[in-house]
Each structure stands twice: as C-alpha cells, then as structure tokens.
Amino acid sequence: MKRILNSAATGALALLLVAAGAAPAPAASYEYDRLNACPTVKGRTGCSPGIVVKHWHKKGATKRGVGWVYASTEITGKRSTYQARWLYQRPGGKLTAASGWKTAKRPAPDTSFVETSWGRDGRTGPQYPTGTRICVEIRETGRTACVRLR
C-alpha cells in the first residue's frame, strides 16, 4: 500500500513539474524592421550600391540589434568581381568598419548585379543606439549607401 501511495505521489509531482514548465512565460515584445536604400547613378538603371538592413529591438528600447546586412551593386564595364564591407556610425561618432572586405558574387549568370550579405535573420548581431547610420561600401566604385536606424 505504501508503495502505491509513493508512486502516486511521485507521479503527481512529476505531472505538476511538467505542467509548470510547459506554461508559457511572458515574452518580451519585440519589434522588427527592414530598412533599405537604393542610390542610383544618372543614366544607369539599378542601385549603385544598394543596402538592406534587418534590425530588431524590444518595444520602447533605445538600442537596435542589427541581425542582417545586405549589399548589392550593378556591374559596370567588364569587371565581374567586386568587394564590399559594412560600416556603422553611432550618433556623434565616426564611421567605423564593422567587417572586412568580402567578395560580392552574381546570384545567377544572367544577372547584371553582384550581391553579398552578413549575419542572420532574427535576434542576432550587435546592438547600436537609435540614430546609428549603417552603410555598405563597394571597394571598386568607392560608393556607399546608408540607412539610419530608427
């Protein structure tokens, strides 16, 4: 009889612990945003260069997490390889390289642009204050494209 009560008590305790662990904890409310810029060169089509930044933050926070940065540029002339890097500038600060140079590649043989990206989608990556400028620079053209985190 003692053994039956003991196993019943253990089973009830295990059920209680599992149920408590399965209860959803109140999650922080996150907001996600995607910023992009596409400066063009007169007389040409497409971005030269283009930038897309996906960032996230908790509701009401003053810092923004940068999860993913994308750069692209139109191919000019016979050049087929380009290198890109991304940079950031905190409010009142100087423009700082966030990465080294990375080779940008054509996504398909019949495209007229090259692209590359850094990071992953989601709540990953470094955090910067609101108002920080995120830029991409193409080494061969010397051009940059920037967005400002809001």
Side-chain angles (χ1 to χ4, degrees):
M1 182 67 150
K2 216 178 201 182
R3 191 174 279 167
I4 293 173
L5 288 176
N6 231 0
S7 59
T10 305
L13 181 62
L15 182 63
L16 181 64
L17 290 174
V18 168
S29 177
Y30 285 95
E31 295 183 359
Y32 300 87
D33 198 5
R34 175 186 160 133
L35 303 169
N36 62 310
C38 180
T40 57
V41 175
K42 190 173 183 175
R44 292 197 182 148
T45 60
C47 302
S48 188
I51 180 173
V52 178
V53 175
K54 284 189 173 183
H55 66 91
W56 56 272
H57 63 279
K58 285 185 181 177
K59 199 168 197 153
T62 58
K63 292 205 171 209
R64 304 294 185 248
V66 175
W68 185 71
V69 178
Y70 168 87
S72 67
T73 191
E74 287 296 310
I75 296 173
T76 57
K78 298 203 182 276
R79 178 176 291 283
S80 61
T81 59
Y82 289 81
Q83 291 191 328
R85 66 179 177 175
W86 74 278
L87 309 104
Y88 65 93
Q89 181 180 17
R90 290 185 169 100
K94 63 179 185 170
L95 202 57
T96 307
S99 72
W101 294 104
K102 184 176 181 181
T103 301
K105 299 181 180 175
R106 285 183 182 210
D110 60 340
T111 57
S112 64
F113 65 95
V114 292
E115 65 181 1
T116 191
S117 65
W118 298 265
R120 304 191 308 247
D121 200 6
R123 292 192 311 258
T124 61
Q127 293 188 16
Y128 300 104
T130 304
T132 298
R133 278 184 357 145
I134 304 293
C135 303
V136 293
E137 178 183 11
I138 305 298
R139 177 183 261 175
E140 289 74 13
T141 64
R143 296 183 183 276
T144 60
C146 301
V147 295
R148 191 170 300 275
L149 298 178
R150 9 179 184 125

